[in-house]
Amino acid sequence: MPHVRRTSLADQAADLLLTRIQAGEWEVGAKLPGETTLGPQLGVGRSTVREAIRQLAGRGILRTRQGAGVFVAALEPEEGWDTVLRRADIDAVVEARLAIEVEAAGWAAQRRTPADIRRMRAALRSRDRHRTDLEEMVDTDIAFHRTVVAAAHNEILTGLFDGFSPRLRDAMIDMLRIHGRFGSDEDHDVHRRVLDAIVDADAAAARSLSRAHLESLHGPVATAGVHNAP
């Protein structure tokens, strides 16, 4: 029976245990041996076995049933949110923005506070100052859109936006770098008009302007032929 090396024991024990599961030693639904049995087989102590089991449970491979033991739940790890985001192409990112930001703009027009308006205006000024540097413009653009989403006062929408912002940043930088144009006066004016609609409490205009802006991003994506950006 192979033993793990004496470095990163919990990680190695988890990998070895997963290998044995995938090799068919235990089928889905089967109960694993106890810690006192697995420990000697893996060449580690009980605490390391427990950590390895926690790791595999977190990946969806194992499931612990209180008072019953540990059971095999799946043969392949579940895809985490980060994995899904890394695989998503730019079209998928733009579509996610449409789903989140269009309605968020409308709700922001109905729910924004004076403090929200100050934050959105400050973010738009910052975006204007950084239009000549691609990465800084993308960062300040995302920051502006984030203030709009936050002004909708929906914690779930804000959490979703924050969750995919790193992938959004990578996708927008890739798209704009290949497309070769960014930071135009026309583009900035669209953002200003979205903000004006929110300040004026015009939810229909805020949604319409936001949708038109985001849908226009599909053009550069198709033109550049960007898919599955790293």
Side-chain angles (χ1 to χ4, degrees), residues 78-223:
E78 295 177 349
E79 286 192 338
W81 181 232
D82 289 343
T83 302
V84 173
L85 288 175
R86 283 195 299 271
R87 196 181 63 240
D89 63 23
I90 295 178
D91 273 330
V93 172
V94 172
E95 288 170 2
R97 293 190 67 182
L98 279 162
I100 294 171
E101 295 181 46
V102 171
E103 288 304 315
W107 286 322
Q110 297 171 319
R111 302 170 181 170
R112 83 285 183 277
T113 66
D116 291 327
I117 292 173
R118 288 193 296 271
R119 282 189 286 267
M120 286 185 285
R121 283 175 169 162
L124 189 63
R125 289 194 297 270
S126 179
R127 185 186 189 279
D128 191 26
R129 290 194 301 269
H130 295 92
R131 282 196 277 159
T132 58
D133 181 277
L134 190 154
E135 293 195 13
E136 288 186 353
M137 194 216 72
V138 169
D139 287 339
T140 54
D141 179 76
I142 292 173
F144 168 74
H145 286 282
R146 205 269 183 192
T147 64
V148 172
V149 174
H153 293 279
N154 182 307
E155 293 180 359
I156 295 176
L157 285 181
T158 304
L160 288 171
F161 186 87
D162 288 344
F164 89 117
S165 284
R167 181 65 186 97
L168 167 60
R169 182 183 190 275
D170 291 343
M172 299 309 294
I173 288 174
D174 288 338
M175 183 189 74
L176 294 175
R177 181 175 287 129
I178 292 174
H179 192 55
R181 295 200 309 271
F182 60 91
S184 68
D185 289 343
E186 179 183 5
D187 175 64
H188 190 71
D189 186 60
V190 169
H191 290 75
R192 181 191 56 76
R193 286 188 284 133
V194 170
L195 176 54
D196 287 345
I198 293 172
V199 172
D200 293 341
D202 190 338
R207 289 189 179 96
S208 177
L209 289 165
S210 182
R211 177 176 294 280
H213 165 61
L214 293 172
E215 287 180 342
S216 74
L217 297 179
H218 278 288
V221 171
T223 302

